[in-house]
Amino acid sequence: MTQTPLLLALDLTGTFAFGLNGALTAVRAVRLDLVGVLTLGIVTALGGGIVRDVLIGSLPPATFNALSYLGVAAAGALLAFFLSLPLERFAVLITIFDAVGLSVFCVTGASKALEFGLDGVQAVLLGAITAVGGGTMRDVLIRRVPTVLSSDFYVVPAMVGAAVTVLAERMGIYGLASALVAAAVCFVIRMLGLRFNLYVPSTPRRTSRRDGEASSSAAENE
């Protein structure tokens, strides 16, 4: 199935944003050489889309059908590598580019799932997988607990953006405007979550007996 121009444009935008984000994360979290930075940038940019395409049977994945994906991902990674020092001063850029990639990929993932005849629930799930898959692979490679598993308010915005995409398609109004609205909804929710320190509920931490004794001793000494 041939990608529509809208889906391709959004996909390439997300690919560049995640390529840049993955490389910036690599430079900031672990000091890697050029090959390492390129690898993490490309994995971040393309990993989620590859997983999506394999799951829906779009083979070979779009990444291997068009060199533009690899080229755009590599361009983002190279930009981060050569401008790493000035970019490191603006830590918020990493967060912004991550949110952009998350927002775009949840829309393209859901859109492609719908094009392949999947229902709404499956499309929402695949939109979220597309959005968080590459970042999860990146975090595993740098030995960090993936953001999506650490109770961060990360996957929820992606699922909401994908759901808006599905709703627009079901209403017959899906196009450039609705795709941008869906991406904007995801972006705003993600940034609000960071601004107000929102988290998905997690299980309460159990205080061990040793920790309790230590706290009691500290209180007695005060």
Side-chain angles (χ1 to χ4, degrees):
M1 185 176 293
T2 303
Q3 263 188 322
T4 63
L6 169 63
L7 192 60
L8 178 61
L10 290 175
D11 232 3
L12 291 177
T13 300
T15 297
F16 179 82
F18 262 169
L20 184 59
N21 166 263
L24 283 173
T25 301
V27 171
R28 191 179 183 198
V30 286
R31 295 294 175 179
L32 301 178
D33 60 15
L34 177 58
V35 174
V37 171
L38 273 172
T39 299
L40 277 189
I42 291 172
V43 166
T44 306
L46 305 180
I50 291 174
V51 172
R52 172 202 64 202
D53 288 349
V54 169
L55 289 176
I56 65 178
S58 177
L59 302 173
T63 300
F64 303 113
N65 276 331
L67 289 178
S68 55
Y69 286 96
L70 182 60
V72 169
L78 286 173
L79 182 64
F81 179 82
F82 289 110
L83 298 180
S84 59
L85 290 179
L87 288 177
E88 273 190 313
R89 300 174 186 175
F90 305 96
V92 69
L93 283 177
I94 297 179
T95 301
I96 290 176
F97 281 115
D98 184 69
V100 170
L102 185 80
S103 304
V104 173
F105 275 177
C106 74
V107 173
T108 60
S111 299
K112 191 165 185 178
L114 292 172
E115 284 188 0
F116 274 74
L118 277 70
D119 62 27
V121 174
Q122 293 168 325
V124 170
L125 292 176
L126 279 171
I129 289 172
T130 306
V132 306
T136 300
M137 294 179 187
R138 172 203 64 205
D139 291 344
V140 170
L141 288 173
I142 62 176
R143 293 181 293 182
R144 186 173 72 179
V145 176
T147 305
V148 69
L149 299 179
S150 59
S151 297
D152 195 3
F153 205 64
Y154 193 70
V155 73
V156 172
M159 296 187 73
V160 172
V164 172
T165 302
V166 171
L167 180 62
E169 195 277 339
R170 292 290 186 255
M171 294 175 63
I173 59 173
Y174 184 69
L176 177 59
S178 57
L180 293 177
V181 168
V185 168
C186 176
F187 181 85
V188 170
I189 294 175
R190 172 59 177 158
M191 298 307 291
L192 287 176
L194 292 170
R195 173 65 178 82
F196 295 104
N197 200 31
L198 301 177
Y199 288 88
V200 175
S202 59
T203 56
R205 296 183 61 183
R206 177 180 296 177
T207 303
S208 66
R209 182 177 180 182
R210 181 176 299 177
D211 290 340
E213 293 174 352
S215 299
S216 299
S217 298
E220 292 173 356
N221 293 332
E222 290 180 351

